[in-house]
Amino acid sequence: VSGRFFVVDYKLEADFSGDEVEAKDVYLSRAFGDAGRLTVGQFKQYFSLDDRTGSNYGSFLERGAAASTLAPLYRLGASWQAARGDMTWAASIYSLESIDAWQTKGRAAGGRVTWAPGATAGDVQHFGLSLAHERYDNPGSDGAAALRIRPRAAGHLSDNSRFTMADFSAGRDTDVNKWSLEYARVMGPVSWQGEFSGGRFDDGAERAEVLAGYGFVSWFVTGESRGYDRKTGRFSRVTEIQHKAGAFELALRYDQMRGSQHGIGLPDRIDGRTEAWTLGGNWYVRRNLRLMLNLIDARTRDQLADATVDHTRAVTGRLHYDF
């Protein structure tokens, strides 16, 4: 539910797909002309092109490993966003807790800047940079949630494919520095996109590093193009469908993440890698109605044991309607 109350915009969003109702966007915001927009409440933080592109417009059912684990997602805080010419920027200060996960304590700051020189419909070149610094208070003790990076290699339903890339649960305050580099190109019906992301963790006794990257190519067989929103620096709805039978998109993505952790001055106690290939097909019956099908092949390796600990294959689909 969204709207305007006098000069203030508001949004209330909930997810009913799990066992419990989960709060997403719950905020108030106000625009101050060309200077920018102030947002206060719970909202998705400004980190990475993959995470900022809404699920209504993504080429795949699932986001990549970095967007689903490293990205701060929905947090309580305040932000300022602005756009000028070919650039957008956003900065926020936020708590590490959310409405539904108040056990996680800490504070953070982050931001994202994008540049899309001369972007027009069907011709986009996008560059972006995201940065975040987070300070977790005693994760794993005194009621605070543990801090763990555990990607699902084959999507959000594949809990059994999880491998712990970093684990900070001993109760020591932990500093985390995160970053993500973005690039995307749209040339008519063909586009490609990639990101290189990372995070470094330090609690004074142990350190961990997580690196992730993905790349994908997309082709609209029927000639359409991916839409792009210059005001937010992210992808949006597909351009006008050219055929009565709808539009058809093929996409192929490679996604990988690697994480290692060690006590300071000691050898690694965690060293793992996960990678996944995803082949996607999307039939846009209308601009707001589509059928999605993904074929996923994912493998996870324990580098210390030199062994494959998980090999998951999945077929996932979605009937998607938005209004």
Side-chain angles (χ1 to χ4, degrees), residues 13 22 25 47 55 66 106 130-131 138 151 155 165 167 169 179 192 205 223 249 252 254 287 296 307 321 323:
E13 181 183 16
E22 182 179 359
D25 282 325
F47 191 90
S55 58
S130 301
L131 297 172
N138 51 303
M165 302 286 182
D167 184 357
S169 54
W179 50 268
W192 55 93
E249 177 188 18
L252 178 66
Y254 175 73
R287 295 182 70 230
I296 306 170
Y321 175 63
F323 56 94

Side-chain angles (χ1 to χ4, degrees), residues 271-282:
D271 189 351
R273 176 174 179 171
T274 183
E275 58 182 357
W277 286 93
T278 303
L279 176 64
N282 301 314

Side-chain angles (χ1 to χ4, degrees), residues 224-292:
E224 291 77 10
S225 298
R226 297 176 70 198
Y228 184 78
D229 186 349
R230 295 182 62 192
K231 293 183 179 181
T232 58
R234 58 184 177 179
F235 285 98
S236 58
R237 195 178 303 282
V238 64
T239 57
E240 292 295 332
I241 294 176
Q242 301 180 11
H243 303 276
K244 292 183 179 180
F248 188 75
E249 177 188 18
L250 289 174
L252 178 66
R253 179 178 67 190
Y254 175 73
D255 183 30
Q256 65 88 26
M257 173 176 275
R258 180 165 183 174
S260 60
Q261 182 172 342
H262 62 273
I264 295 177
L266 299 174
D268 288 341
R269 69 177 182 88
I270 296 176
D271 189 351
R273 176 174 179 171
T274 183
E275 58 182 357
W277 286 93
T278 303
L279 176 64
N282 301 314
W283 176 28
Y284 297 79
V285 184
R286 300 175 184 173
R287 295 182 70 230
N288 62 338
L289 174 63
R290 64 174 171 169
L291 292 169
M292 306 178 70

Side-chain angles (χ1 to χ4, degrees), residues 196-208:
F196 183 44
S197 309
R200 292 186 175 180
F201 304 72
D202 190 339
D203 69 356
E206 293 198 354
R207 293 174 179 165

Side-chain angles (χ1 to χ4, degrees), residues 87-306:
M87 297 190 67
T88 75
W89 59 92
S92 63
I93 53 174
Y94 56 96
S95 169
L96 295 176
E97 62 184 321
S98 63
I99 293 173
D100 299 298
W102 53 269
Q103 300 92 341
T104 303
K105 302 298 183 182
R107 59 220 153 269
R112 176 175 180 253
V113 59
T114 71
W115 180 47
T120 59
D123 186 3
V124 178
Q125 187 163 217
H126 167 100
F127 302 88
L129 170 65
S130 301
L131 297 172
H133 175 73
E134 300 176 340
R135 173 80 171 177
Y136 286 82
D137 294 341
N138 51 303
S141 67
D142 297 333
L147 171 58
R148 296 187 176 98
I149 302 297
R150 302 182 66 227
R152 297 178 176 98
H156 76 281
L157 297 178
S158 59
D159 276 339
N160 290 335
S161 70
R162 285 189 156 192
F163 185 90
T164 301
M165 302 286 182
D167 184 357
F168 290 84
S169 54
R172 295 182 291 267
D173 292 351
T174 304
D175 287 307
V176 186
N177 291 306
K178 300 177 180 180
W179 50 268
S180 186
L181 296 170
E182 315 167 7
Y183 178 74
R185 184 75 169 101
V186 178
M187 298 179 65
V190 178
S191 67
W192 55 93
Q193 175 180 322
E195 289 188 74
F196 183 44
S197 309
R200 292 186 175 180
F201 304 72
D202 190 339
D203 69 356
E206 293 198 354
R207 293 174 179 165
E209 183 175 46
V210 175
L211 298 174
Y214 74 85
F216 78 75
V217 293
S218 164
W219 174 41
F220 274 89
V221 181
T222 46
E224 291 77 10
S225 298
R226 297 176 70 198
Y228 184 78
D229 186 349
R230 295 182 62 192
K231 293 183 179 181
T232 58
R234 58 184 177 179
F235 285 98
S236 58
R237 195 178 303 282
V238 64
T239 57
E240 292 295 332
I241 294 176
Q242 301 180 11
H243 303 276
K244 292 183 179 180
F248 188 75
E249 177 188 18
L250 289 174
L252 178 66
R253 179 178 67 190
Y254 175 73
D255 183 30
Q256 65 88 26
M257 173 176 275
R258 180 165 183 174
S260 60
Q261 182 172 342
H262 62 273
I264 295 177
L266 299 174
D268 288 341
R269 69 177 182 88
I270 296 176
D271 189 351
R273 176 174 179 171
T274 183
E275 58 182 357
W277 286 93
T278 303
L279 176 64
N282 301 314
W283 176 28
Y284 297 79
V285 184
R286 300 175 184 173
R287 295 182 70 230
N288 62 338
L289 174 63
R290 64 174 171 169
L291 292 169
M292 306 178 70
L293 180 68
N294 284 185
L295 308 178
I296 306 170
D297 187 277
R299 296 174 186 267
T300 301
R301 286 189 59 81
D302 185 335
Q303 302 291 101
L304 295 179
D306 192 24

